[in-house]
Structures are given as C-alpha cells and as structure tokens.
Amino acid sequence: MRIVGGEWRGRRLAGPKAEGIRPTSDRLREALFNVLAHAYEDAVEDAVVLDLFAGTGALGFEALSRGAARAIFVDEGRQAGGLIREGIAALGCGDRARLIPRDATRLGPATEGPATLVFCDPPYRKNLAPAALTAAAGGGWLAPGALILVEEAAGAGPVLPPDFEELERRSYGETAVTFGRLEG
C-alpha cells in the first residue's frame, strides 16, 4: 500500500497482518481523490478530515498528503491503532494527525473538529455507516455542509442517515461509494 498523490506520493504505508482490516486499494483511492479534486472544488485542500473506521488510515493519510490541514483517525481496533500510529510516525505528521481509539458509532461529544470532509469505510454489509454518521453529527464532529464519502459493498441499501443529502453514488467493481453532505 502506498500514497498515490501529493507531497508523500509513493511513500509506503504499513498494511494489515491479519484478517479484519480491508484497506481501500490504491486504485480506488486514486479514483476517489480525482473525483474530489474535479467534481467537488478540491474539497481536500485545507480540509479537516474525519476518517471513521480508519483501518490503516490510508484515506486520511492520502488527504494529508494532498493538502488537508488535519486528519482525525477513529478506529477502536488494536491492529488499526498500531498501523495508524506507525503511519503518523513514518510520515512525520504528528502535528496534523490524531488517533482516537473509539467505536465510530459511539463517538460522544467532539474533542476535535469540526470536520469538513469525512471518510466512512465500515466493515461491509453491517449497516454501521448510518450509526457512525449520526453519532458524528450529534456529537458536533461535523461542520455544516461537510462532504461525506461512504464506502460500502455494491448493492448495499442506503448508507446515509436522514439528515444527510445523497449527492451521487459511484460503483467501482464490488464497491460503491456514496457522496453526500450534512444538511443544514
């Protein structure tokens, strides 16, 4: 796994050593960041990123590499926490990145943020994205109008809670990515 664009282009990220973490592929990350740069007025530049179910942190690190101001990684898994801490150290971005080892569906009140760009990549087919996004919005983690990307299995039902507007859904093989905004 590597960073595909920006300041750290080509830098390697540590990958999972066991089952349970499904990193977003380099190709899919490249496609998503191209969409963000061209269809959403470069939503990454100076963004405060919230990476829910962060896993390896690849999406948040990619955003930092491409000009995001800060990234908040949320994942309660021990292996994920280790991979994210390793990435922060290897990239030297401790002043711009923070790991919060917490269940993304039970965020509680914001300690960081508010985020302007959110990546939500939960385990597929478990309907966790709506709960995590509701918790993020309810806890004050999201800025009004925050752009949301939810990665889920193709064919999954709606992935955004009621207070979010779906902008578009794009399919990438067995994966679908829903782009949305927090209304209000």
Side-chain angles (χ1 to χ4, degrees):
M1 239 176 26
R2 63 185 174 80
I3 303 287
V4 295
E7 172 187 357
W8 300 322
R9 182 181 183 151
R11 297 277 303 268
R12 293 217 172 267
L13 295 172
K17 293 176 178 40
E19 295 291 318
I21 295 179
R22 175 195 35 78
T24 301
S25 73
D26 293 356
R27 292 179 93 178
L28 179 54
R29 265 185 292 114
E30 186 167 20
L32 294 178
F33 280 88
N34 283 337
V35 171
L36 287 171
H38 301 292
Y40 293 96
E41 301 174 19
D42 198 9
V44 178
E45 188 70 31
D46 296 323
V48 175
V49 175
L50 181 61
D51 190 347
L52 300 171
F53 305 98
T56 63
L59 289 166
F61 290 128
E62 189 74 41
L64 287 171
S65 179
R66 293 172 183 248
R70 291 186 299 132
I72 304 147
F73 300 91
V74 178
D75 200 305
E76 68 179 343
R78 174 174 279 159
Q79 181 183 190
L83 292 169
I84 293 165
R85 281 189 288 279
E86 187 176 328
I88 290 170
L91 297 170
C93 60
D95 59 331
R96 298 171 46 209
R98 180 162 180 236
L99 169 64
I100 298 177
R102 191 175 300 167
D103 179 345
T105 65
R106 296 189 173 114
L107 280 173
T111 59
E112 300 277 336
T116 58
L117 177 61
V118 179
F119 297 106
C120 184
D121 185 10
Y124 285 0
R125 295 183 179 87
K126 295 193 178 199
N127 200 31
L128 294 172
L133 294 171
T134 297
W141 291 86
L142 308 181
L147 182 61
I148 316 292
L149 280 76
V150 178
E151 187 177 333
E152 181 56 272
V159 295
L160 297 176
D163 292 344
F164 292 74
E165 171 191 8
E166 183 173 318
L167 302 173
E168 64 177 306
R169 188 178 296 210
R170 294 181 181 229
S171 293
Y172 300 92
E174 296 180 9
T175 299
V177 178
T178 301
F179 293 75
R181 284 210 188 274
L182 174 60
E183 294 179 345

